[in-house]
mmCIF file of all heavy atoms in Angstrom:
data_model
loop_
_atom_site.group_PDB
_atom_site.id
_atom_site.type_symbol
_atom_site.label_atom_id
_atom_site.label_comp_id
_atom_site.label_asym_id
_atom_site.label_seq_id
_atom_site.Cartn_x
_atom_site.Cartn_y
_atom_site.Cartn_z
ATOM 1 N N GLU A 1 9.801 0.952 -21.230
ATOM 2 C CA GLU A 1 8.436 1.208 -21.735
ATOM 3 C C GLU A 1 7.452 0.411 -20.917
ATOM 4 O O GLU A 1 7.758 -0.630 -20.351
ATOM 5 C CB GLU A 1 8.358 0.817 -23.227
ATOM 6 C CG GLU A 1 9.077 1.775 -24.121
ATOM 7 C CD GLU A 1 9.007 1.391 -25.572
ATOM 8 O OE1 GLU A 1 8.386 0.359 -25.869
ATOM 9 O OE2 GLU A 1 9.608 2.116 -26.385
ATOM 10 N N LEU A 2 6.200 0.847 -20.878
ATOM 11 C CA LEU A 2 5.136 0.158 -20.183
ATOM 12 C C LEU A 2 4.756 -1.103 -20.927
ATOM 13 O O LEU A 2 4.669 -1.081 -22.164
ATOM 14 C CB LEU A 2 3.906 1.047 -20.025
ATOM 15 C CG LEU A 2 4.090 2.375 -19.255
ATOM 16 C CD1 LEU A 2 2.739 3.112 -19.194
ATOM 17 C CD2 LEU A 2 4.656 2.152 -17.899
ATOM 18 N N SER A 3 4.579 -2.158 -20.216
ATOM 19 C CA SER A 3 4.087 -3.405 -20.829
ATOM 20 C C SER A 3 2.583 -3.262 -21.021
ATOM 21 O O SER A 3 1.925 -2.295 -20.603
ATOM 22 C CB SER A 3 4.427 -4.583 -19.963
ATOM 23 O OG SER A 3 3.596 -4.601 -18.811
ATOM 24 N N ARG A 4 1.999 -4.267 -21.613
ATOM 25 C CA ARG A 4 0.531 -4.294 -21.812
ATOM 26 C C ARG A 4 -0.213 -4.706 -20.545
ATOM 27 O O ARG A 4 -1.406 -4.514 -20.431
ATOM 28 C CB ARG A 4 0.151 -5.256 -22.922
ATOM 29 C CG ARG A 4 0.687 -4.800 -24.263
ATOM 30 C CD ARG A 4 0.322 -5.823 -25.308
ATOM 31 N NE ARG A 4 0.861 -5.395 -26.597
ATOM 32 C CZ ARG A 4 0.139 -5.288 -27.677
ATOM 33 N NH1 ARG A 4 -1.112 -5.561 -27.641
ATOM 34 N NH2 ARG A 4 0.718 -4.872 -28.792
ATOM 35 N N TYR A 5 0.491 -5.269 -19.581
ATOM 36 C CA TYR A 5 -0.204 -5.747 -18.352
ATOM 37 C C TYR A 5 -0.734 -4.558 -17.576
ATOM 38 O O TYR A 5 -0.057 -3.556 -17.377
ATOM 39 C CB TYR A 5 0.736 -6.576 -17.484
ATOM 40 C CG TYR A 5 0.062 -6.955 -16.175
ATOM 41 C CD1 TYR A 5 -0.832 -7.970 -16.131
ATOM 42 C CD2 TYR A 5 0.341 -6.227 -15.044
ATOM 43 C CE1 TYR A 5 -1.489 -8.273 -14.939
ATOM 44 C CE2 TYR A 5 -0.309 -6.515 -13.828
ATOM 45 C CZ TYR A 5 -1.200 -7.549 -13.790
ATOM 46 O OH TYR A 5 -1.823 -7.843 -12.641
ATOM 47 N N ARG A 6 -1.940 -4.727 -17.076
ATOM 48 C CA ARG A 6 -2.563 -3.728 -16.172
ATOM 49 C C ARG A 6 -3.188 -4.537 -15.037
ATOM 50 O O ARG A 6 -3.835 -5.548 -15.245
ATOM 51 C CB ARG A 6 -3.602 -2.868 -16.867
ATOM 52 C CG ARG A 6 -3.057 -2.019 -17.980
ATOM 53 C CD ARG A 6 -2.063 -0.968 -17.479
ATOM 54 N NE ARG A 6 -1.473 -0.205 -18.518
ATOM 55 C CZ ARG A 6 -0.330 -0.498 -19.158
ATOM 56 N NH1 ARG A 6 0.360 -1.566 -18.823
ATOM 57 N NH2 ARG A 6 0.126 0.309 -20.103
ATOM 58 N N ASP A 7 -3.069 -3.977 -13.826
ATOM 59 C CA ASP A 7 -3.673 -4.587 -12.651
ATOM 60 C C ASP A 7 -5.186 -4.458 -12.763
ATOM 61 O O ASP A 7 -5.700 -3.350 -12.742
ATOM 62 C CB ASP A 7 -3.140 -3.901 -11.376
ATOM 63 C CG ASP A 7 -3.700 -4.541 -10.098
ATOM 64 O OD1 ASP A 7 -4.508 -5.490 -10.171
ATOM 65 O OD2 ASP A 7 -3.319 -4.041 -9.024
ATOM 66 N N GLN A 8 -5.844 -5.587 -12.902
ATOM 67 C CA GLN A 8 -7.335 -5.567 -13.067
ATOM 68 C C GLN A 8 -8.065 -5.110 -11.822
ATOM 69 O O GLN A 8 -9.236 -4.765 -11.896
ATOM 70 C CB GLN A 8 -7.831 -6.967 -13.503
ATOM 71 C CG GLN A 8 -7.224 -7.446 -14.769
ATOM 72 C CD GLN A 8 -7.507 -6.514 -15.934
ATOM 73 O OE1 GLN A 8 -8.644 -6.106 -16.164
ATOM 74 N NE2 GLN A 8 -6.472 -6.137 -16.709
ATOM 75 N N ARG A 9 -7.403 -5.107 -10.681
ATOM 76 C CA ARG A 9 -8.040 -4.684 -9.451
ATOM 77 C C ARG A 9 -7.713 -3.230 -9.102
ATOM 78 O O ARG A 9 -8.012 -2.766 -8.009
ATOM 79 C CB ARG A 9 -7.625 -5.611 -8.309
ATOM 80 C CG ARG A 9 -8.160 -6.978 -8.503
ATOM 81 C CD ARG A 9 -7.993 -7.784 -7.234
ATOM 82 N NE ARG A 9 -8.414 -9.165 -7.456
ATOM 83 C CZ ARG A 9 -8.265 -10.126 -6.604
ATOM 84 N NH1 ARG A 9 -7.724 -9.872 -5.433
ATOM 85 N NH2 ARG A 9 -8.652 -11.336 -6.899
ATOM 86 N N PHE A 10 -7.130 -2.525 -10.037
ATOM 87 C CA PHE A 10 -6.848 -1.098 -9.828
ATOM 88 C C PHE A 10 -8.159 -0.351 -9.673
ATOM 89 O O PHE A 10 -9.033 -0.483 -10.467
ATOM 90 C CB PHE A 10 -6.019 -0.518 -11.012
ATOM 91 C CG PHE A 10 -5.702 0.915 -10.863
ATOM 92 C CD1 PHE A 10 -4.665 1.353 -10.103
ATOM 93 C CD2 PHE A 10 -6.506 1.885 -11.505
ATOM 94 C CE1 PHE A 10 -4.345 2.704 -9.964
ATOM 95 C CE2 PHE A 10 -6.220 3.230 -11.383
ATOM 96 C CZ PHE A 10 -5.110 3.661 -10.582
ATOM 97 N N ARG A 11 -8.230 0.421 -8.636
ATOM 98 C CA ARG A 11 -9.495 1.206 -8.389
ATOM 99 C C ARG A 11 -9.264 2.598 -8.991
ATOM 100 O O ARG A 11 -8.524 3.413 -8.466
ATOM 101 C CB ARG A 11 -9.794 1.302 -6.921
ATOM 102 C CG ARG A 11 -10.047 -0.050 -6.295
ATOM 103 C CD ARG A 11 -10.572 0.101 -4.871
ATOM 104 N NE ARG A 11 -10.681 -1.157 -4.204
ATOM 105 C CZ ARG A 11 -11.714 -1.991 -4.307
ATOM 106 N NH1 ARG A 11 -12.723 -1.700 -5.070
ATOM 107 N NH2 ARG A 11 -11.714 -3.115 -3.621
ATOM 108 N N GLY A 12 -9.904 2.847 -10.086
ATOM 109 C CA GLY A 12 -9.786 4.131 -10.784
ATOM 110 C C GLY A 12 -9.856 3.891 -12.263
ATOM 111 O O GLY A 12 -10.023 2.772 -12.740
ATOM 112 N N LYS A 13 -9.752 4.976 -13.019
ATOM 113 C CA LYS A 13 -9.811 4.945 -14.461
ATOM 114 C C LYS A 13 -8.497 4.492 -15.055
ATOM 115 O O LYS A 13 -7.457 4.699 -14.437
ATOM 116 C CB LYS A 13 -10.200 6.297 -14.996
ATOM 117 C CG LYS A 13 -11.572 6.747 -14.572
ATOM 118 C CD LYS A 13 -11.917 8.061 -15.180
ATOM 119 C CE LYS A 13 -13.329 8.478 -14.690
ATOM 120 N NZ LYS A 13 -13.752 9.756 -15.229
ATOM 121 N N ILE A 14 -8.575 3.890 -16.233
ATOM 122 C CA ILE A 14 -7.339 3.407 -16.902
ATOM 123 C C ILE A 14 -6.386 4.547 -17.159
ATOM 124 O O ILE A 14 -5.181 4.367 -17.059
ATOM 125 C CB ILE A 14 -7.725 2.653 -18.191
ATOM 126 C CG1 ILE A 14 -6.469 1.970 -18.813
ATOM 127 C CG2 ILE A 14 -8.324 3.597 -19.209
ATOM 128 C CD1 ILE A 14 -6.042 0.739 -18.073
ATOM 129 N N GLN A 15 -6.892 5.768 -17.395
ATOM 130 C CA GLN A 15 -6.012 6.905 -17.630
ATOM 131 C C GLN A 15 -5.201 7.247 -16.363
ATOM 132 O O GLN A 15 -4.058 7.617 -16.444
ATOM 133 C CB GLN A 15 -6.821 8.135 -18.067
ATOM 134 C CG GLN A 15 -7.476 7.974 -19.425
ATOM 135 C CD GLN A 15 -8.902 7.323 -19.304
ATOM 136 O OE1 GLN A 15 -9.299 6.859 -18.259
ATOM 137 N NE2 GLN A 15 -9.562 7.249 -20.436
ATOM 138 N N GLU A 16 -5.876 7.090 -15.198
ATOM 139 C CA GLU A 16 -5.177 7.341 -13.919
ATOM 140 C C GLU A 16 -4.061 6.319 -13.753
ATOM 141 O O GLU A 16 -2.942 6.645 -13.314
ATOM 142 C CB GLU A 16 -6.137 7.284 -12.763
ATOM 143 C CG GLU A 16 -7.201 8.348 -12.747
ATOM 144 C CD GLU A 16 -8.313 8.087 -11.751
ATOM 145 O OE1 GLU A 16 -8.157 7.154 -10.908
ATOM 146 O OE2 GLU A 16 -9.367 8.729 -11.822
ATOM 147 N N GLN A 17 -4.392 5.059 -14.008
ATOM 148 C CA GLN A 17 -3.376 3.981 -13.879
ATOM 149 C C GLN A 17 -2.209 4.207 -14.843
ATOM 150 O O GLN A 17 -1.037 4.096 -14.430
ATOM 151 C CB GLN A 17 -4.033 2.618 -14.143
ATOM 152 C CG GLN A 17 -3.121 1.460 -13.850
ATOM 153 C CD GLN A 17 -3.761 0.144 -14.041
ATOM 154 O OE1 GLN A 17 -4.736 0.031 -14.800
ATOM 155 N NE2 GLN A 17 -3.263 -0.888 -13.366
ATOM 156 N N GLU A 18 -2.504 4.591 -16.081
ATOM 157 C CA GLU A 18 -1.428 4.870 -17.046
ATOM 158 C C GLU A 18 -0.480 5.970 -16.565
ATOM 159 O O GLU A 18 0.714 5.854 -16.649
ATOM 160 C CB GLU A 18 -2.002 5.265 -18.411
ATOM 161 C CG GLU A 18 -2.812 4.183 -19.094
ATOM 162 C CD GLU A 18 -1.919 3.157 -19.768
ATOM 163 O OE1 GLU A 18 -0.862 3.529 -20.255
ATOM 164 O OE2 GLU A 18 -2.327 1.990 -19.784
ATOM 165 N N LYS A 19 -1.060 7.045 -16.032
ATOM 166 C CA LYS A 19 -0.259 8.136 -15.542
ATOM 167 C C LYS A 19 0.592 7.709 -14.364
ATOM 168 O O LYS A 19 1.793 8.039 -14.322
ATOM 169 C CB LYS A 19 -1.158 9.327 -15.108
ATOM 170 C CG LYS A 19 -0.381 10.547 -14.708
ATOM 171 C CD LYS A 19 -1.305 11.704 -14.357
ATOM 172 C CE LYS A 19 -0.458 12.926 -13.967
ATOM 173 N NZ LYS A 19 -1.307 14.029 -13.608
ATOM 174 N N LEU A 20 0.032 6.974 -13.457
ATOM 175 C CA LEU A 20 0.792 6.463 -12.291
ATOM 176 C C LEU A 20 1.930 5.584 -12.764
ATOM 177 O O LEU A 20 3.060 5.668 -12.227
ATOM 178 C CB LEU A 20 -0.123 5.724 -11.334
ATOM 179 C CG LEU A 20 -1.083 6.556 -10.518
ATOM 180 C CD1 LEU A 20 -2.067 5.669 -9.761
ATOM 181 C CD2 LEU A 20 -0.339 7.463 -9.571
ATOM 182 N N LEU A 21 1.688 4.724 -13.756
ATOM 183 C CA LEU A 21 2.737 3.831 -14.270
ATOM 184 C C LEU A 21 3.864 4.628 -14.935
ATOM 185 O O LEU A 21 5.033 4.264 -14.776
ATOM 186 C CB LEU A 21 2.132 2.814 -15.225
ATOM 187 C CG LEU A 21 1.236 1.752 -14.640
ATOM 188 C CD1 LEU A 21 0.517 0.978 -15.710
ATOM 189 C CD2 LEU A 21 2.027 0.822 -13.715
ATOM 190 N N ARG A 22 3.524 5.675 -15.666
ATOM 191 C CA ARG A 22 4.548 6.457 -16.345
ATOM 192 C C ARG A 22 5.517 7.191 -15.410
ATOM 193 O O ARG A 22 6.640 7.447 -15.751
ATOM 194 C CB ARG A 22 3.924 7.473 -17.279
ATOM 195 C CG ARG A 22 3.490 6.876 -18.637
ATOM 196 C CD ARG A 22 3.202 7.956 -19.653
ATOM 197 N NE ARG A 22 2.100 8.838 -19.252
ATOM 198 C CZ ARG A 22 0.808 8.592 -19.407
ATOM 199 N NH1 ARG A 22 0.442 7.463 -19.957
ATOM 200 N NH2 ARG A 22 -0.098 9.443 -19.015
ATOM 201 N N TYR A 23 5.032 7.466 -14.202
ATOM 202 C CA TYR A 23 5.891 8.232 -13.256
ATOM 203 C C TYR A 23 6.268 7.403 -12.024
ATOM 204 O O TYR A 23 6.903 7.902 -11.105
ATOM 205 C CB TYR A 23 5.140 9.501 -12.816
ATOM 206 C CG TYR A 23 4.931 10.450 -13.973
ATOM 207 C CD1 TYR A 23 3.681 10.524 -14.580
ATOM 208 C CD2 TYR A 23 5.983 11.187 -14.502
ATOM 209 C CE1 TYR A 23 3.474 11.366 -15.640
ATOM 210 C CE2 TYR A 23 5.776 11.997 -15.574
ATOM 211 C CZ TYR A 23 4.514 12.066 -16.162
ATOM 212 O OH TYR A 23 4.331 12.915 -17.274
ATOM 213 N N SER A 24 5.899 6.163 -12.045
ATOM 214 C CA SER A 24 6.090 5.289 -10.869
ATOM 215 C C SER A 24 7.579 5.069 -10.538
ATOM 216 O O SER A 24 8.445 5.071 -11.421
ATOM 217 C CB SER A 24 5.467 3.918 -11.110
ATOM 218 O OG SER A 24 5.663 3.059 -10.038
ATOM 219 N N THR A 25 7.811 4.850 -9.258
ATOM 220 C CA THR A 25 9.182 4.446 -8.801
ATOM 221 C C THR A 25 9.082 3.037 -8.173
ATOM 222 O O THR A 25 10.031 2.590 -7.542
ATOM 223 C CB THR A 25 9.709 5.429 -7.760
ATOM 224 O OG1 THR A 25 8.807 5.458 -6.657
ATOM 225 C CG2 THR A 25 9.887 6.813 -8.333
ATOM 226 N N THR A 26 7.977 2.351 -8.415
ATOM 227 C CA THR A 26 7.752 1.012 -7.866
ATOM 228 C C THR A 26 7.707 -0.040 -8.934
ATOM 229 O O THR A 26 7.081 0.164 -9.982
ATOM 230 C CB THR A 26 6.385 0.988 -7.083
ATOM 231 O OG1 THR A 26 6.399 1.993 -6.092
ATOM 232 C CG2 THR A 26 6.164 -0.366 -6.415
ATOM 233 N N LEU A 27 8.382 -1.122 -8.688
ATOM 234 C CA LEU A 27 8.412 -2.268 -9.600
ATOM 235 C C LEU A 27 7.744 -3.478 -8.968
ATOM 236 O O LEU A 27 7.880 -3.710 -7.785
ATOM 237 C CB LEU A 27 9.854 -2.662 -9.950
ATOM 238 C CG LEU A 27 10.716 -1.598 -10.550
ATOM 239 C CD1 LEU A 27 12.124 -2.148 -10.773
ATOM 240 C CD2 LEU A 27 10.125 -1.023 -11.837
ATOM 241 N N TYR A 28 7.036 -4.239 -9.804
ATOM 242 C CA TYR A 28 6.542 -5.554 -9.415
ATOM 243 C C TYR A 28 7.637 -6.517 -9.846
ATOM 244 O O TYR A 28 8.121 -6.410 -11.017
ATOM 245 C CB TYR A 28 5.258 -5.855 -10.117
ATOM 246 C CG TYR A 28 4.802 -7.308 -10.010
ATOM 247 C CD1 TYR A 28 4.029 -7.755 -8.932
ATOM 248 C CD2 TYR A 28 5.220 -8.236 -10.954
ATOM 249 C CE1 TYR A 28 3.645 -9.055 -8.807
ATOM 250 C CE2 TYR A 28 4.878 -9.569 -10.803
ATOM 251 C CZ TYR A 28 4.068 -9.985 -9.759
ATOM 252 O OH TYR A 28 3.716 -11.282 -9.618
ATOM 253 N N VAL A 29 8.014 -7.449 -9.009
ATOM 254 C CA VAL A 29 9.033 -8.443 -9.346
ATOM 255 C C VAL A 29 8.391 -9.792 -9.245
ATOM 256 O O VAL A 29 7.838 -10.158 -8.203
ATOM 257 C CB VAL A 29 10.225 -8.335 -8.375
ATOM 258 C CG1 VAL A 29 11.312 -9.357 -8.796
ATOM 259 C CG2 VAL A 29 10.840 -6.920 -8.399
ATOM 260 N N GLY A 30 8.396 -10.558 -10.317
ATOM 261 C CA GLY A 30 7.736 -11.863 -10.339
ATOM 262 C C GLY A 30 8.671 -12.988 -10.664
ATOM 263 O O GLY A 30 9.834 -12.775 -10.977
ATOM 264 N N ASN A 31 8.187 -14.195 -10.523
ATOM 265 C CA ASN A 31 8.848 -15.447 -10.718
ATOM 266 C C ASN A 31 9.986 -15.665 -9.724
ATOM 267 O O ASN A 31 10.991 -16.313 -10.012
ATOM 268 C CB ASN A 31 9.396 -15.566 -12.170
ATOM 269 C CG ASN A 31 9.674 -17.024 -12.539
ATOM 270 O OD1 ASN A 31 8.931 -17.890 -12.159
ATOM 271 N ND2 ASN A 31 10.752 -17.245 -13.283
ATOM 272 N N LEU A 32 9.823 -15.179 -8.539
ATOM 273 C CA LEU A 32 10.772 -15.420 -7.468
ATOM 274 C C LEU A 32 10.586 -16.808 -6.868
ATOM 275 O O LEU A 32 9.481 -17.336 -6.888
ATOM 276 C CB LEU A 32 10.578 -14.406 -6.317
ATOM 277 C CG LEU A 32 10.869 -12.938 -6.610
ATOM 278 C CD1 LEU A 32 10.409 -12.083 -5.463
ATOM 279 C CD2 LEU A 32 12.338 -12.732 -6.895
ATOM 280 N N SER A 33 11.663 -17.337 -6.357
ATOM 281 C CA SER A 33 11.570 -18.593 -5.618
ATOM 282 C C SER A 33 10.859 -18.281 -4.301
ATOM 283 O O SER A 33 10.935 -17.193 -3.751
ATOM 284 C CB SER A 33 13.004 -19.120 -5.278
ATOM 285 O OG SER A 33 12.931 -20.094 -4.320
ATOM 286 N N PHE A 34 10.147 -19.261 -3.787
ATOM 287 C CA PHE A 34 9.473 -19.121 -2.500
ATOM 288 C C PHE A 34 10.480 -18.985 -1.378
ATOM 289 O O PHE A 34 10.150 -18.549 -0.293
ATOM 290 C CB PHE A 34 8.568 -20.302 -2.200
ATOM 291 C CG PHE A 34 7.328 -20.385 -3.036
ATOM 292 C CD1 PHE A 34 7.038 -19.463 -4.032
ATOM 293 C CD2 PHE A 34 6.414 -21.389 -2.809
ATOM 294 C CE1 PHE A 34 5.888 -19.542 -4.794
ATOM 295 C CE2 PHE A 34 5.262 -21.479 -3.566
ATOM 296 C CZ PHE A 34 4.997 -20.584 -4.530
ATOM 297 N N TYR A 35 11.756 -19.266 -1.682
ATOM 298 C CA TYR A 35 12.814 -19.260 -0.681
ATOM 299 C C TYR A 35 13.683 -18.030 -0.775
ATOM 300 O O TYR A 35 14.585 -17.849 0.045
ATOM 301 C CB TYR A 35 13.637 -20.534 -0.755
ATOM 302 C CG TYR A 35 12.763 -21.762 -0.740
ATOM 303 C CD1 TYR A 35 12.499 -22.461 -1.897
ATOM 304 C CD2 TYR A 35 12.119 -22.138 0.436
ATOM 305 C CE1 TYR A 35 11.602 -23.586 -1.884
ATOM 306 C CE2 TYR A 35 11.271 -23.233 0.491
ATOM 307 C CZ TYR A 35 11.017 -23.939 -0.698
ATOM 308 O OH TYR A 35 10.171 -25.017 -0.694
ATOM 309 N N THR A 36 13.471 -17.167 -1.748
ATOM 310 C CA THR A 36 14.207 -15.906 -1.856
ATOM 311 C C THR A 36 13.905 -14.977 -0.723
ATOM 312 O O THR A 36 12.735 -14.787 -0.369
ATOM 313 C CB THR A 36 13.936 -15.243 -3.213
ATOM 314 O OG1 THR A 36 14.249 -16.139 -4.249
ATOM 315 C CG2 THR A 36 14.732 -13.949 -3.360
ATOM 316 N N THR A 37 14.945 -14.431 -0.128
ATOM 317 C CA THR A 37 14.750 -13.569 1.042
ATOM 318 C C THR A 37 14.733 -12.086 0.631
ATOM 319 O O THR A 37 15.201 -11.681 -0.452
ATOM 320 C CB THR A 37 15.897 -13.759 2.061
ATOM 321 O OG1 THR A 37 17.110 -13.337 1.449
ATOM 322 C CG2 THR A 37 16.007 -15.206 2.507
#
């Protein structure tokens, strides 16, 4: 399911962002070590 987080710098309407997120094949991965390759 979609989280509540939304990229505040997204250029476009929130509805466009929601649609892109529902069909996206891209993940944001966070909390990585600075040394992870």
Side-chain angles (χ1 to χ4, degrees):
E1 289 178 0
L2 300 182
S3 72
R4 293 178 183 234
Y5 175 78
R6 297 296 176 267
D7 182 359
Q8 300 302 310
R9 293 192 186 175
F10 179 81
R11 297 189 189 277
K13 296 182 180 180
I14 189 74
Q15 295 86 353
E16 295 168 13
Q17 187 178 23
E18 294 282 326
K19 184 176 180 181
L20 288 171
L21 290 170
R22 278 195 300 276
Y23 297 102
S24 179
T25 59
T26 303
L27 303 179
Y28 168 89
V29 182
N31 200 38
L32 294 172
S33 167
F34 289 2
Y35 308 104
T36 300
T37 65

